[in-house]
Amino acid sequence: MKRTPPDTLALVDQLADHHCLPLEGYQQLIEDTSELAASSLAKLADQVRRPIYGNKVYLRGLIEISSICSRNCLYCGIRCGNPNAERYRLTPEEILACAEEGHALGFRTFVLQGGEDPWFIDERLEALLHTLKRRFPDCAVTLSLGERSRESYQRLYDAGADRYLLRHETADPALYAKLHPPEMSWENRMQCLRDLKDIGYQVGCGFMVGAPYQTARQLAMDLKFVEQFHPDMCGIGPFVPHHDTVFRDQPAGGAALTIKLLSILRLIHPKMLLPATTALGTIDPHGREKGILTGANVVMPNLSPVGVRRKYSLYDNKICTGDESAQCRACLEARLRTIGFETVVDRGDVAK
Ligand code: SAM
Ligand code: FES
């Protein structure tokens, strides 16, 4: 006899009470497009966040250090196979100048993100980390530089890096294989995440929402992975097509689904650091505010020099590429104030 699936609101309650669901439960929540499901998740996610983070939103200053990448992820505008991508690399002095400006603007976390640029060997990154930590002892440094060896992760940790963001991209190896060239390995990416955690980093994983070929089942697998891996951070954002990729004609992922997933993630791990991403702000002009209202507690304004922002082009129509860092900071502050949230001058470590 076919069993009737539990009704969605019962699942929402189960998630809020137990912080986990069976895979089928996550899938059902994703497939239920009713307003009621989304609004109950949002309400409960906000409720569970308040006693932990209040109305505080943590700022991360994003410094896009290089658009040179040796990888060829099929969806990404800066993949090495794109001959039209404009390449740049910031010098250590330029990176330090961005951090200097960010510090004066109240940032206490710098996220150094970039393509997998072979110029950034361990010795260069170690020297940069030493200088950053000496000049800004009250700041955390997050790296987001892709897959490296365990030995390299260890050296960068020893040199002062506090956190590492490496989206797992998808928990389904079959989907991973459709979105990446054959030389890239899902197993290796997952191993990197385990190594990072083992070494002692605060670790962030994450995935795109609405990626080509992605099904509700695969998103449910992502939620199950996050539930079990228990990262300190989880970065999710809609897939947005880039005109120089094979997925140029694919639709962007949905803002509503991304926002619903943020609420679910908040309920799975109430203390997790959850950014409302630039990609979300790109597909919906108020996407970041909506994401914060429904569970996210981090924003990552851009501190990169204005001259290079357009060149760090992962997807089309990226927002904030023409704005000075101070404008971005002020703009986000004002946006958050209109919804009753405030940014804080704080490293913003995960709540213990
Ligand atoms: N190279 C590092 C890495 O691989 O983790 C950091 C930079 S990588 C470009 C940052 C993230 O951008 C990826 O993990 C991916 O999820 C996201 N991304 C790339 N192309 C995208 C697209 N077209 N739409 C939305 N997100 C995208
Ligand atoms: Fe950059 Fe609004 S956040 S201009």
Side-chain angles (χ1 to χ4, degrees):
M1 205 175 69
K2 195 164 173 265
R3 278 203 308 141
T4 325
D7 104 331
T8 306
L9 292 184
L11 280 176
V12 173
D13 287 340
Q14 189 182 338
L15 176 61
D17 290 345
H18 302 287
H19 310 294
C20 64
L21 285 179
L23 194 61
E24 294 69 29
Y26 287 131
Q27 185 176 341
Q28 192 178 323
L29 284 188
I30 292 163
E31 284 173 340
D32 183 327
T33 53
S34 71
E35 181 49 37
L36 186 61
S39 60
S40 355
L41 283 164
K43 191 163 150 240
L44 287 168
D46 187 40
Q47 260 173 29
V48 36
R49 166 255 307 272
R50 295 280 172 174
I52 308 168
Y53 293 112
N55 71 339
K56 306 275 185 277
V57 174
Y58 293 141
L59 284 169
R60 311 310 193 198
L62 180 66
I63 308 176
E64 298 155 332
I65 66 171
S66 176
S67 69
I68 298 168
C69 193
S70 53
R71 299 281 183 178
N72 211 13
C73 308
L74 302 184
Y75 44 82
C76 182
I78 63 165
R79 76 205 153 79
C80 63
N82 179 9
N84 302 322
E86 291 185 62
R87 307 293 175 181
Y88 72 89
R89 173 186 300 131
L90 298 185
T91 62
E93 292 68 35
E94 286 170 319
I95 296 170
L96 290 165
C98 293
E100 193 77 57
E101 188 182 4
H103 194 263
L105 289 168
F107 289 89
R108 295 296 178 265
T109 289
F110 304 118
V111 181
L112 273 40
Q113 189 183 83
E116 293 193 23
D117 178 346
W119 189 85
F120 282 102
I121 52 173
D122 294 341
E123 287 76 7
R124 290 186 170 124
L125 285 170
E126 281 170 330
L128 180 60
L129 285 162
H130 286 139
T131 315
L132 274 170
K133 292 302 255 191
R134 199 177 51 246
R135 283 206 204 159
F136 311 105
D138 54 347
C139 292
V141 179
T142 305
L143 299 177
S144 178
L145 300 172
E147 293 172 45
R148 304 176 76 93
S149 67
R150 182 177 174 127
E151 185 206 355
S152 168
Y153 288 146
Q154 183 71 58
R155 285 179 63 168
L156 303 180
Y157 183 75
D158 294 341
D162 302 273
R163 311 184 185 132
Y164 206 102
L165 295 178
L166 185 77
R167 289 186 175 185
H168 64 283
E169 308 298 1
T170 169
D172 181 5
L175 178 58
Y176 188 91
K178 288 185 178 167
L179 299 176
H180 298 90
E183 65 275 15
M184 288 184 70
S185 145
W186 177 83
E187 284 77 13
N188 190 61
R189 200 149 182 105
M190 290 304 204
Q191 186 57 47
C192 287
L193 279 168
R194 288 190 291 270
D195 288 344
L196 289 162
K197 202 175 193 192
D198 217 34
I199 290 169
Y201 283 93
Q202 292 178 38
V203 179
C205 64
F207 54 92
M208 289 185 290
V209 179
Y213 313 112
Q214 188 184 52
T215 62
R217 182 73 168 185
Q218 287 160 333
L219 280 173
M221 289 166 74
D222 287 318
L223 294 175
K224 188 48 92 183
F225 171 71
V226 176
E227 177 202 302
Q228 293 175 341
F229 182 64
H230 205 152
D232 301 289
M233 308 166 267
C234 182
I236 68 164
F239 159 76
V240 185
H242 186 283
H243 60 277
D244 275 326
T245 66
V246 286
F247 300 129
R248 65 179 70 84
D249 297 323
Q250 293 287 317
L257 179 55
T258 308
I259 289 163
K260 185 157 90 172
L261 288 163
L262 285 171
S263 302
I264 298 176
L265 288 166
R266 171 63 62 214
L267 290 170
I268 293 176
H269 292 308
K271 292 180 178 170
M272 193 158 62
L273 295 162
L274 270 180
T277 56
T278 306
L280 182 55
T282 296
I283 56 158
D284 177 337
H286 293 292
R288 287 172 299 176
E289 293 93 303
K290 291 179 194 166
I292 294 292
L293 277 169
T294 56
N297 67 331
V298 173
V299 287
M300 298 173 69
N302 204 324
L303 284 182
S304 310
V306 175
V308 306
R309 289 184 187 191
R310 203 182 31 80
K311 300 182 190 169
Y312 193 76
S313 170
L314 311 181
Y315 49 79
D316 291 338
N317 307 316
K318 182 181 158 200
I319 52 170
C320 304
T321 52
D323 298 289
E324 297 289 342
S325 302
Q327 285 174 307
C328 263
R329 167 82 171 85
C331 159
L332 265 171
E333 177 107 56
R335 283 167 179 266
L336 292 171
R337 218 176 306 118
T338 60
I339 55 166
F341 282 77
E342 58 185 8
T343 55
V344 280
V345 177
D346 192 296
R347 277 169 53 111
D349 288 299
V350 70
K352 286 289 164 233

